[in-house]
């Protein structure tokens, strides 16, 4: 077997090491004793005894038993001196710990230690460290509250707590100038604000003669009719800065913030004079302060409103600041706001009329490429009650859909489709409609279309369609020749007959009747009620208003100021009117059943018919245009060819 560890063998020729003499037992005992003593010493010196601050520690210090102390975060570590060790029982530890809190630290303790000649280490520095450690969580908590709570409260305000009460207005400079050219269809409103522009441009002219120029302008009108736009245009025309803020921005959860924001806004505006302050949604803060029992709890709103009034009262003759406020609900504004010297000039910004709608469409169409067939006058006719904002959306929708169809310009069909989409919702061409439902819808719509076309008191027909849109299965559109500000009895009766035409057609041509008449019945009922209760068109009700005062009802709730007997009479009158309309419409349809059938069948074939198509069918003609099936085949061929 070979040697596993060749290197352990002594090399040849080296002298052998001398043998170690063996120790006697006594020397082993001595070594053991020494080791024991050393161990005891080490144990003694490394052992630590815990003693109380008072009276033990203070007592030992007093007696001069302590050699040194070190202040640490939560304890004092120390060492006894020889006298201390001697005085204490045998085997006591040399070191000690005193548990203490920084509150026990005081100058007196240090004096006592010093007079007892105790060596002190890490005094003040180690004393304050624990205090800081204890304060750290509180500091972190405060920082967290500040960053997450207060900054969020300011939401978008930009940071510092100091800014909390500062105004959150937006300042529009002169670079994004909007002028009267951008505002269309509200000519009277533009004329009314002309003097304000003149005052901002040329105040000396007014000072010369004297007189007080109205500083507060109240723009009143439905949403989206251009109140904000008009205010911006005033600033643009006068070439002055425009400070805008919404009423709701003033209202915070802390009382007094709104008022301080108002003061800040007015201060900044005065520094930038001449300028315009625009307060949108003034009704958010300027609501009437109701009678005692319904008010209360609105301190913040009232304080803000008062601050606005005070600021407006405090204008100097040299301050060229005009305050423009906008609201949809002038009827609920506090009279203090509309008092002379405040918002004493009110300007109506109504829904645009026929001419106005055409102008607004043209203004927004400036940015869009138009096809040769676009007729804004016609589009204006089919957009009654559309606001400026909705008309802008029509142009925009049409431009988007023309782009999606890879067209070079917007055509009339795009605009009409966009109109339908904005008012009634997107066409659901792909929605699978059951054949019997489709037939029911076709006859229902044909009923509306026939009555609409044949009654001379009704608006002319625009088009009829059975393509589902929004929540509707189909629709019949009228093309009013003018905007109506007054409704005659005959027009109202014609409206009711058109609405009932759908249900009557279902009754005469389908086995069943449907819920499709829900909206028709609802609209007919509300017009009939208005006729009786508000417009004095009932036979027995006389010229009495039974529908109350909306402004008063807003605060006190609707009040029925008539007897139960009158209520029954109103119901009877309403029923009489709707029955009459139903009867007349039924007579008309029964006399023209063949025409209605022709319209319904064509609707099933073509899905949409315009006024010309319906006229052709009523006069016994036939339609010569591609059916929906033909169009689908054409479309398929086109896709295959590509
Ligand atoms: P709200 O009461 O909801 O604040 P508003 O009356 O202030 O509405 P604006 O914000 O001025 O309405 O109008 C919205 C948009 O509609 C405008 O930016 C503008 O594009 C368009 N618009 C409204 N009215 C007109 C108008 N008369 N002429 C041109 N564009 C208009």
């Amino acid at each position: 077997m070979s040697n596993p560890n060749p290197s352990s063998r002594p090399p040849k020729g080296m002298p052998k090491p001398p043998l170690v003499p063996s120790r006697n037992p006594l020397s082993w005992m001595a070594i053991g004793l020494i080791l024991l003593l050393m161990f005891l010493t080490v144990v003694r010196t490394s052992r630590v005894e815990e003693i109380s601050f008072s009276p033990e520690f203070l007592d030992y210090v007093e007696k001069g038993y302590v050699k040194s102390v070190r202040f640490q975060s939560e304890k004092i570590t120390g060492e006894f001196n020889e006298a201390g060790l001697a005085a204490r029982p045998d085997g006591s530890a040399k070191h000690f710990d005193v548990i203490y809190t920084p509150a026990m630290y005081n100058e007196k303790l240090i004096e006592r230690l010093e007079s007892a000649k105790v060596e002190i280490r890490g005094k003040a520095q180690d004393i304050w460290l624990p205090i800081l450690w204890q304060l750290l969580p509180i500091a972190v908590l405060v920082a967290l509250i500040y960053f997450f709570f207060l900054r969020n409260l300011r939401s978008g305000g930009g940071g510092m707590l100091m800014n909390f009460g500062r105004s959150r207005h937006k300042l529009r400079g002169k670079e994004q100038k909007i002028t009267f050219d951008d505002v269309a269809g509200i000519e009277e409103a533009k004329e009314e604000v002309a003097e304000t522009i003149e005052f901002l441009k040329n105040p000396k002219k007014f000072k010369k003669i004297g007189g007080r120029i109205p500083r507060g302008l109240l723009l009143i009108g439905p949403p989206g009719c251009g109140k904000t736009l008009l205010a911006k245009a005033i600033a643009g025309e006068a070439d002055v800065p425009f400070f805008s803020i919404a009423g709701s921005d003033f209202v915070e959860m802390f009382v007094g913030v709104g008022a301080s924001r108002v003061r800040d806004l007015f201060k900044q505006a005065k520094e930038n004079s001449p300028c315009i302050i625009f307060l949108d949604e003034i009704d958010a803060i300027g609501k009437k302060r109701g009678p005692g029992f319904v008010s209360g709890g609105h301190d913040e709103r009232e304080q803000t409103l008062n601050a606005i009034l005070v600021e407006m009262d405090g204008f100097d003759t040299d301050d060229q600041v005009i305050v423009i406020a906008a609201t949809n609900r002038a009827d609920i504004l506090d009279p203090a706001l509309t008092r002379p010297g405040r918002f004493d000039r009110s300007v109506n910004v109504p829904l645009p009329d026929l001419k106005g709608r055409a102008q607004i469409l043209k203004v927004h169409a400036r940015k869009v490429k138009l096809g040769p067939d676009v007729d804004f006058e016609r589009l204006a006719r089919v957009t009654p009650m559309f606001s400026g904002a909705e008309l802008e959306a029509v142009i925009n929708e049409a431009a988007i859909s023309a782009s999606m169809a890879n067209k070079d310009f917007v055509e009339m069909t795009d605009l009409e489709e966009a109109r339908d989409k904005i008012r009634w919702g997107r066409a659901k061409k792909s929605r699978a409609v059951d054949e019997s439902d489709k037939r029911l819808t076709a006859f229902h719509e044909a009923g509306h279309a026939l009555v609409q076309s044949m009654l001379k008191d009704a608006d002319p027909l625009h088009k009829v369609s059975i393509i589902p849109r929004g929540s509707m299965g189909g629709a019949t559109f009228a093309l009013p020749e003018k905007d109506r500000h007054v409704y005659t009895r005959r027009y109202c009766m014609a409206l009711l007959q058109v609405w009932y035409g759908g249900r009557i057609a279902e009754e005469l041509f389908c086995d069943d009747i449907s819920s499709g008449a829900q909206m028709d019945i609802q609209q007919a009922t509300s017009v009939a009620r208005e006729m009786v209760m508000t417009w004095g068109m009932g036979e027995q009700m006389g010229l009495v208003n039974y529908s109350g005062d909306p402004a008063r009802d807003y605060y006190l709730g609707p009040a029925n100021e008539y007897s139960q007997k009158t209520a029954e009479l109103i119901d009877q009158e309403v029923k009489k009117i709707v029955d009459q309309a139903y009867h007349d419409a039924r007579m008309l349809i029964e006399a023209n059943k063949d025409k209605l059938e022709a319209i319904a069948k064509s609707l099933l074939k073509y899905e949409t018919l315009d006024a010309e198509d319906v006229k052709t069918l009523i006069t016994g003609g036939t339609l010569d245009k591609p059916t929906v099936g033909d169009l689908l085949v054409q479309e398929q061929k086109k896709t295959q060819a590509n």
Side-chain angles (χ1 to χ4, degrees), residues 182-186 221-230 278 280 326-328 349 360 363-364 387-390 392:
D182 302 303
V183 188
I186 42 174
C225 281
K227 297 182 291 295
T228 313
L229 191 71
L230 183 65
F278 179 63
D280 207 355
T327 179
N328 307 324
V349 185
I360 294 174
V363 162
H364 290 290
S387 67
E390 283 173 312
E392 183 193 7

